[in-house]
Amino acid sequence: MRIRIDGTYAELAYATNKIRTILPVGSVSPIFPLHERPYTWRVFINTAPKRNEGRWIT
């Protein structure tokens, strides 16, 4: 599942850490600014499948 989060840099950091505690995270994109909105950033988080015996399930 791909999750998109928009917000201030502090909001993104907080939300990313909270999501990491709840869901298994596969990758996090670089945080980049939105040029249309001042002080607003965007990040994409890809969640990974559940872990099973030390490997990713595909």
Side-chain angles (χ1 to χ4, degrees), residues 27-52:
S27 65
V28 178
S29 73
I31 297 174
F32 58 92
L34 295 177
H35 299 292
E36 316 82 56
R37 299 161 74 190
Y39 306 108
T40 304
W41 301 74
R42 177 174 287 164
V43 68
F44 291 98
I45 300 173
N46 291 321
T47 59
K50 291 186 179 182
R51 296 205 66 163
N52 184 14

mmCIF file of all heavy atoms in Angstrom, residues 27-52:
data_model
loop_
_atom_site.group_PDB
_atom_site.id
_atom_site.type_symbol
_atom_site.label_atom_id
_atom_site.label_comp_id
_atom_site.label_asym_id
_atom_site.label_seq_id
_atom_site.Cartn_x
_atom_site.Cartn_y
_atom_site.Cartn_z
ATOM 1 N N SER A 27 9.604 1.250 2.375
ATOM 2 C CA SER A 27 10.465 2.355 1.970
ATOM 3 C C SER A 27 9.756 3.683 2.214
ATOM 4 O O SER A 27 8.529 3.758 2.268
ATOM 5 C CB SER A 27 10.842 2.238 0.495
ATOM 6 O OG SER A 27 9.696 2.377 -0.306
ATOM 7 N N VAL A 28 10.574 4.724 2.357
ATOM 8 C CA VAL A 28 10.080 6.086 2.535
ATOM 9 C C VAL A 28 10.768 6.941 1.485
ATOM 10 O O VAL A 28 11.998 6.914 1.365
ATOM 11 C CB VAL A 28 10.388 6.623 3.951
ATOM 12 C CG1 VAL A 28 9.921 8.055 4.107
ATOM 13 C CG2 VAL A 28 9.763 5.742 5.012
ATOM 14 N N SER A 29 9.986 7.689 0.715
ATOM 15 C CA SER A 29 10.572 8.538 -0.318
ATOM 16 C C SER A 29 11.244 9.746 0.333
ATOM 17 O O SER A 29 10.965 10.073 1.491
ATOM 18 C CB SER A 29 9.488 9.025 -1.282
ATOM 19 O OG SER A 29 8.685 9.999 -0.662
ATOM 20 N N PRO A 30 12.117 10.413 -0.414
ATOM 21 C CA PRO A 30 12.671 11.665 0.112
ATOM 22 C C PRO A 30 11.549 12.679 0.331
ATOM 23 O O PRO A 30 10.566 12.702 -0.415
ATOM 24 C CB PRO A 30 13.616 12.139 -0.987
ATOM 25 C CG PRO A 30 13.899 10.933 -1.809
ATOM 26 C CD PRO A 30 12.701 10.042 -1.690
ATOM 27 N N ILE A 31 11.693 13.505 1.326
ATOM 28 C CA ILE A 31 10.700 14.547 1.606
ATOM 29 C C ILE A 31 10.990 15.714 0.667
ATOM 30 O O ILE A 31 12.104 16.207 0.613
ATOM 31 C CB ILE A 31 10.779 14.989 3.074
ATOM 32 C CG1 ILE A 31 10.421 13.804 3.983
ATOM 33 C CG2 ILE A 31 9.871 16.166 3.339
ATOM 34 C CD1 ILE A 31 10.610 14.084 5.456
ATOM 35 N N PHE A 32 9.973 16.142 -0.100
ATOM 36 C CA PHE A 32 10.199 17.237 -1.030
ATOM 37 C C PHE A 32 9.124 18.299 -0.862
ATOM 38 O O PHE A 32 7.999 18.011 -0.476
ATOM 39 C CB PHE A 32 10.291 16.743 -2.479
ATOM 40 C CG PHE A 32 9.085 15.987 -2.973
ATOM 41 C CD1 PHE A 32 8.055 16.640 -3.610
ATOM 42 C CD2 PHE A 32 8.996 14.620 -2.787
ATOM 43 C CE1 PHE A 32 6.954 15.947 -4.071
ATOM 44 C CE2 PHE A 32 7.902 13.912 -3.242
ATOM 45 C CZ PHE A 32 6.872 14.576 -3.886
ATOM 46 N N PRO A 33 9.487 19.563 -1.121
ATOM 47 C CA PRO A 33 8.535 20.664 -0.913
ATOM 48 C C PRO A 33 7.496 20.739 -2.017
ATOM 49 O O PRO A 33 7.738 20.343 -3.158
ATOM 50 C CB PRO A 33 9.426 21.903 -0.942
ATOM 51 C CG PRO A 33 10.577 21.510 -1.779
ATOM 52 C CD PRO A 33 10.802 20.044 -1.531
ATOM 53 N N LEU A 34 6.319 21.249 -1.650
ATOM 54 C CA LEU A 34 5.274 21.551 -2.626
ATOM 55 C C LEU A 34 5.400 23.033 -2.970
ATOM 56 O O LEU A 34 5.325 23.889 -2.094
ATOM 57 C CB LEU A 34 3.884 21.264 -2.047
ATOM 58 C CG LEU A 34 3.590 19.812 -1.718
ATOM 59 C CD1 LEU A 34 2.206 19.698 -1.092
ATOM 60 C CD2 LEU A 34 3.669 18.970 -2.958
ATOM 61 N N HIS A 35 5.597 23.333 -4.235
ATOM 62 C CA HIS A 35 5.858 24.716 -4.630
ATOM 63 C C HIS A 35 4.604 25.579 -4.601
ATOM 64 O O HIS A 35 4.696 26.793 -4.481
ATOM 65 C CB HIS A 35 6.499 24.743 -6.017
ATOM 66 C CG HIS A 35 7.807 24.032 -6.047
ATOM 67 N ND1 HIS A 35 8.928 24.484 -5.388
ATOM 68 C CD2 HIS A 35 8.175 22.859 -6.630
ATOM 69 C CE1 HIS A 35 9.928 23.651 -5.579
ATOM 70 N NE2 HIS A 35 9.497 22.640 -6.321
ATOM 71 N N GLU A 36 3.429 24.961 -4.693
ATOM 72 C CA GLU A 36 2.181 25.724 -4.683
ATOM 73 C C GLU A 36 1.848 26.251 -3.288
ATOM 74 O O GLU A 36 1.127 27.226 -3.148
ATOM 75 C CB GLU A 36 0.983 24.878 -5.117
ATOM 76 C CG GLU A 36 1.106 23.988 -6.299
ATOM 77 C CD GLU A 36 1.756 22.650 -6.016
ATOM 78 O OE1 GLU A 36 1.309 21.895 -5.146
ATOM 79 O OE2 GLU A 36 2.737 22.369 -6.706
ATOM 80 N N ARG A 37 2.342 25.559 -2.255
ATOM 81 C CA ARG A 37 1.954 25.900 -0.887
ATOM 82 C C ARG A 37 3.206 26.126 -0.046
ATOM 83 O O ARG A 37 4.058 25.251 0.047
ATOM 84 C CB ARG A 37 1.136 24.756 -0.305
ATOM 85 C CG ARG A 37 -0.132 24.518 -1.107
ATOM 86 C CD ARG A 37 -0.719 23.171 -0.881
ATOM 87 N NE ARG A 37 -1.368 23.049 0.404
ATOM 88 C CZ ARG A 37 -1.795 21.912 0.907
ATOM 89 N NH1 ARG A 37 -1.637 20.790 0.240
ATOM 90 N NH2 ARG A 37 -2.383 21.872 2.056
ATOM 91 N N PRO A 38 3.344 27.274 0.576
ATOM 92 C CA PRO A 38 4.538 27.522 1.383
ATOM 93 C C PRO A 38 4.554 26.669 2.651
ATOM 94 O O PRO A 38 3.507 26.386 3.237
ATOM 95 C CB PRO A 38 4.434 29.011 1.725
ATOM 96 C CG PRO A 38 2.993 29.339 1.586
ATOM 97 C CD PRO A 38 2.440 28.404 0.540
ATOM 98 N N TYR A 39 5.730 26.252 3.053
ATOM 99 C CA TYR A 39 5.967 25.461 4.271
ATOM 100 C C TYR A 39 5.237 24.121 4.264
ATOM 101 O O TYR A 39 4.929 23.579 5.308
ATOM 102 C CB TYR A 39 5.582 26.245 5.536
ATOM 103 C CG TYR A 39 6.245 27.576 5.610
ATOM 104 C CD1 TYR A 39 5.530 28.746 5.406
ATOM 105 C CD2 TYR A 39 7.604 27.676 5.871
ATOM 106 C CE1 TYR A 39 6.151 29.980 5.461
ATOM 107 C CE2 TYR A 39 8.232 28.906 5.927
ATOM 108 C CZ TYR A 39 7.506 30.045 5.728
ATOM 109 O OH TYR A 39 8.128 31.258 5.779
ATOM 110 N N THR A 40 4.936 23.609 3.089
ATOM 111 C CA THR A 40 4.254 22.322 2.979
ATOM 112 C C THR A 40 5.156 21.349 2.230
ATOM 113 O O THR A 40 5.755 21.699 1.222
ATOM 114 C CB THR A 40 2.917 22.464 2.240
ATOM 115 O OG1 THR A 40 2.133 23.441 2.919
ATOM 116 C CG2 THR A 40 2.152 21.158 2.236
ATOM 117 N N TRP A 41 5.244 20.140 2.761
ATOM 118 C CA TRP A 41 6.112 19.113 2.211
ATOM 119 C C TRP A 41 5.281 17.873 1.922
ATOM 120 O O TRP A 41 4.184 17.727 2.424
ATOM 121 C CB TRP A 41 7.208 18.772 3.215
ATOM 122 C CG TRP A 41 8.056 19.954 3.573
ATOM 123 C CD1 TRP A 41 7.700 20.999 4.377
ATOM 124 C CD2 TRP A 41 9.373 20.225 3.133
ATOM 125 N NE1 TRP A 41 8.717 21.893 4.462
ATOM 126 C CE2 TRP A 41 9.770 21.445 3.715
ATOM 127 C CE3 TRP A 41 10.264 19.550 2.307
ATOM 128 C CZ2 TRP A 41 11.013 21.991 3.490
ATOM 129 C CZ3 TRP A 41 11.505 20.106 2.095
ATOM 130 C CH2 TRP A 41 11.875 21.313 2.679
ATOM 131 N N ARG A 42 5.829 16.948 1.126
ATOM 132 C CA ARG A 42 5.122 15.711 0.780
ATOM 133 C C ARG A 42 6.092 14.539 0.876
ATOM 134 O O ARG A 42 7.261 14.659 0.533
ATOM 135 C CB ARG A 42 4.564 15.790 -0.628
ATOM 136 C CG ARG A 42 3.871 14.502 -1.067
ATOM 137 C CD ARG A 42 3.202 14.658 -2.400
ATOM 138 N NE ARG A 42 2.007 15.479 -2.208
ATOM 139 C CZ ARG A 42 1.347 16.072 -3.173
ATOM 140 N NH1 ARG A 42 1.742 15.957 -4.413
ATOM 141 N NH2 ARG A 42 0.272 16.786 -2.920
ATOM 142 N N VAL A 43 5.568 13.412 1.362
ATOM 143 C CA VAL A 43 6.348 12.187 1.434
ATOM 144 C C VAL A 43 5.435 11.016 1.081
ATOM 145 O O VAL A 43 4.229 11.068 1.328
ATOM 146 C CB VAL A 43 6.987 11.995 2.835
ATOM 147 C CG1 VAL A 43 5.943 11.738 3.893
ATOM 148 C CG2 VAL A 43 8.010 10.886 2.834
ATOM 149 N N PHE A 44 6.006 9.991 0.460
ATOM 150 C CA PHE A 44 5.287 8.761 0.151
ATOM 151 C C PHE A 44 5.896 7.635 0.972
ATOM 152 O O PHE A 44 7.122 7.498 1.025
ATOM 153 C CB PHE A 44 5.383 8.416 -1.341
ATOM 154 C CG PHE A 44 4.634 9.365 -2.214
ATOM 155 C CD1 PHE A 44 5.279 10.407 -2.850
ATOM 156 C CD2 PHE A 44 3.276 9.212 -2.418
ATOM 157 C CE1 PHE A 44 4.593 11.282 -3.663
ATOM 158 C CE2 PHE A 44 2.572 10.078 -3.232
ATOM 159 C CZ PHE A 44 3.232 11.119 -3.856
ATOM 160 N N ILE A 45 5.043 6.830 1.589
ATOM 161 C CA ILE A 45 5.489 5.690 2.382
ATOM 162 C C ILE A 45 4.908 4.434 1.762
ATOM 163 O O ILE A 45 3.701 4.341 1.566
ATOM 164 C CB ILE A 45 5.026 5.823 3.849
ATOM 165 C CG1 ILE A 45 5.610 7.088 4.462
ATOM 166 C CG2 ILE A 45 5.406 4.597 4.650
ATOM 167 C CD1 ILE A 45 5.080 7.401 5.842
ATOM 168 N N ASN A 46 5.767 3.482 1.443
ATOM 169 C CA ASN A 46 5.331 2.188 0.921
ATOM 170 C C ASN A 46 5.376 1.185 2.056
ATOM 171 O O ASN A 46 6.436 0.953 2.638
ATOM 172 C CB ASN A 46 6.231 1.717 -0.223
ATOM 173 C CG ASN A 46 6.058 2.574 -1.444
ATOM 174 O OD1 ASN A 46 4.963 2.986 -1.775
ATOM 175 N ND2 ASN A 46 7.155 2.866 -2.108
ATOM 176 N N THR A 47 4.229 0.618 2.369
ATOM 177 C CA THR A 47 4.203 -0.387 3.420
ATOM 178 C C THR A 47 4.568 -1.734 2.818
ATOM 179 O O THR A 47 4.307 -2.012 1.658
ATOM 180 C CB THR A 47 2.821 -0.471 4.091
ATOM 181 O OG1 THR A 47 1.858 -0.787 3.113
ATOM 182 C CG2 THR A 47 2.462 0.840 4.763
ATOM 183 N N ALA A 48 5.196 -2.547 3.626
ATOM 184 C CA ALA A 48 5.639 -3.867 3.179
ATOM 185 C C ALA A 48 4.659 -4.914 3.688
ATOM 186 O O ALA A 48 3.893 -4.676 4.628
ATOM 187 C CB ALA A 48 7.028 -4.149 3.726
ATOM 188 N N PRO A 49 4.693 -6.093 3.106
ATOM 189 C CA PRO A 49 3.858 -7.178 3.623
ATOM 190 C C PRO A 49 4.330 -7.599 5.009
ATOM 191 O O PRO A 49 5.427 -7.236 5.438
ATOM 192 C CB PRO A 49 4.049 -8.307 2.629
ATOM 193 C CG PRO A 49 4.938 -7.810 1.573
ATOM 194 C CD PRO A 49 5.403 -6.455 1.921
ATOM 195 N N LYS A 50 3.517 -8.361 5.685
ATOM 196 C CA LYS A 50 3.895 -8.841 7.012
ATOM 197 C C LYS A 50 5.124 -9.727 6.928
ATOM 198 O O LYS A 50 5.340 -10.436 5.952
ATOM 199 C CB LYS A 50 2.749 -9.628 7.644
ATOM 200 C CG LYS A 50 1.590 -8.771 8.014
ATOM 201 C CD LYS A 50 0.562 -9.575 8.753
ATOM 202 C CE LYS A 50 -0.591 -8.694 9.155
ATOM 203 N NZ LYS A 50 -1.584 -9.428 9.909
ATOM 204 N N ARG A 51 5.930 -9.691 7.975
ATOM 205 C CA ARG A 51 7.138 -10.514 8.001
ATOM 206 C C ARG A 51 6.788 -11.934 8.431
ATOM 207 O O ARG A 51 5.944 -12.148 9.270
ATOM 208 C CB ARG A 51 8.134 -9.925 8.963
ATOM 209 C CG ARG A 51 8.570 -8.550 8.473
ATOM 210 C CD ARG A 51 9.872 -8.155 8.953
ATOM 211 N NE ARG A 51 10.880 -9.027 8.402
ATOM 212 C CZ ARG A 51 12.160 -8.752 8.386
ATOM 213 N NH1 ARG A 51 12.569 -7.634 8.863
ATOM 214 N NH2 ARG A 51 13.036 -9.588 7.912
ATOM 215 N N ASN A 52 7.485 -12.899 7.842
ATOM 216 C CA ASN A 52 7.263 -14.292 8.180
ATOM 217 C C ASN A 52 8.614 -15.000 8.153
ATOM 218 O O ASN A 52 9.237 -15.087 7.105
ATOM 219 C CB ASN A 52 6.286 -14.945 7.198
ATOM 220 C CG ASN A 52 5.949 -16.352 7.577
ATOM 221 O OD1 ASN A 52 6.226 -16.794 8.684
ATOM 222 N ND2 ASN A 52 5.349 -17.067 6.654
#
